[in-house]
Amino acid sequence: MTENNIQLEERLVGKIEGEFYVPSYQRGYRWDESQVMALLNDVYDNGENSYCLQPIVVRKGDDGRYELIDGQQRLTTLYIIYKFMTNRWPDYIENVNYSLSYETRQENDYFFNNIENEEIANSNIDFFFIHQAYKTVEKWFALDRGKKPLHVAGKLSEFFDNNVKVIWYEMKSGSEADAISLFTRLNIGRIPLTNAELVKALFLCQTEQVTKSKQMEISLQWDTIERELHDDDLWYFLTKKNAVSYATRIELLFDFMAGKSDDEREQFFTFLHFSKQRENLLELWDGILRYYYRLKEWYKNDKLYHKIGYLVATGTSTIDLLMNETKVLKKSAMDALLDDKIRQSIDSKKPYSELSYQNDPGIITNILLLFNVISLLQNGSGARFPFKEFNNESWSLEHIHAQHSLKLNTQEKWKEWLKLHIDSVKKLESTESLLVEMKEAIDNERLTDIKFNELADKITTLFSEQGDTEYVHSISNMALLQCSKNAALSNALFDAKCRMIREMDANGQFIPYCTKMVFMKYYSSDKQNSISLNFWGQKDREAYVAKMNEVLKDYLKAPIRYGSE
């Protein structure tokens, strides 16, 4: 396809004119009732708001007719709707401005003029589906809307004339092979035109603004940006959205610039945003480059990488909002803005010591993520927090030292929990009889909850510090881990969980920096006491909280207190 010979514009449905034919290499019309109903409902329910349908891709032949490369199903459905309205209310609804034919069906005109005739409709499969669609349109108009069908038809006709448009993508020249190639890519390959491709076409249209050499330069720069955005470290610094949801990654950049929200219903919102600026394409492209290079500067700067990455990962802000808020700020003012947003992300209406796993998981998660991010930023090793790991997986709060009773309600889970703790019990003296009981329970085909709870209580007592257990759901007993489907692991005691986390780390599974430090007892001051290595005690929790206060002192509204101190 000769890419620099394209006409690209938005065209109201009521302004579509000409003779269209569906070439022989395409399958015929196949929309079912649900698809026809959906199109009618979307257009009617949208009312007088602007509404854009999928692109219509055509190539104009020497005879002046349009070869319909993509959009056959939509354009045919619109034609059928017009046919129904003009047949039913010929004195009130204007005729459609275009005609439609199938290269493989010579009797097209006769059929469309007799579209209600069952006998003609059954003469071939294409006519059959078109006739069924016509009956669906009739069914739609018969629905009770509290208005006369003629009034509904009048409103629908107005919407087509004033509000409903298509993206008109016309190949001004090129061989038949080019058209077949594009059709294969769009239809057989099921890869539709994306917002990004339509934006690119703006710069490749025939225009006095963009010379051939400038088009080549834009194409090279475009490819460079697309290639660099395939670096997942960069991608997941910029967004939490899964990369596979973007056929063309540069589209994320355009979504940012267009300010497209996650709940935006207009599929081609981003393209339409840029299409409005086509009067000065060179200035538009320069703006795209400046935007991207600024994002690259943020990514390369360690401080900005960690702070902005954290705000994006927690959903506190987004790249497009940050770009708008900081575009005129000096470095110091930008730093202050980011720090203020970070403080807001962990602001709590209650004292941090009162936050709990059950009631405040969101803010505890934010605090622990920030603890990990700022720890890496401050430690001077040059290591970066891998947002690609965090944003591309599901994460949960894990009890550092768990209570076995949580979520363990089947024999399979009870036995798995016991298996996880055998090696821990073996390390202690005078536990031979307990080990025998554990193994018997594991082999018992009728293990009861009473017997399991009896054993679990004994094991928990061995690996727990005496005293109250109010700390269990507090931030001093929480760490970040990837969500586990293994309930027994989630409810494991400290010693068993240490062993499992070491195995996960050895197998290449990402373990957040501070989570590793916790299970290595890095923050604890009582490392010389060998017994304390088996459980997560009060001194460990106090040291853990103290480290959080040290690292996060610039962001916490008040120090995290431990217990009643």
Side-chain angles (χ1 to χ4, degrees), residues 183-247:
F183 167 78
T184 302
R185 172 249 197 268
L186 293 172
N187 291 272
I188 298 176
R190 299 298 178 194
I191 306 173
L193 282 169
T194 64
N195 278 277
E197 290 173 307
L198 292 169
V199 172
K200 187 176 185 179
L202 287 176
F203 297 100
L204 300 179
C205 291
Q206 280 189 329
T207 172
E208 295 180 0
Q209 292 186 59
V210 186
T211 64
K212 183 69 174 177
S213 61
K214 186 62 179 179
Q215 288 175 347
M216 293 178 63
E217 180 184 340
I218 290 173
S219 291
L220 289 172
Q221 292 167 333
W222 183 289
D223 291 342
T224 298
I225 295 172
E226 176 68 22
R227 184 176 64 254
E228 290 179 353
L229 286 172
H230 275 265
D231 178 354
D232 283 346
D233 284 312
L234 173 57
W235 177 269
Y236 287 108
F237 158 70
L238 297 173
T239 184
K240 296 172 66 176
K241 296 177 182 177
N242 196 312
V244 299
S245 64
Y246 280 82

Side-chain angles (χ1 to χ4, degrees), residues 32 79 173 258 293 302 385 406 425 437 534 537:
D32 59 24
Y79 191 70
S173 65
Y293 290 147
D302 274 352
F385 185 84
L406 297 176
V425 174
E437 285 189 82
N534 296 329

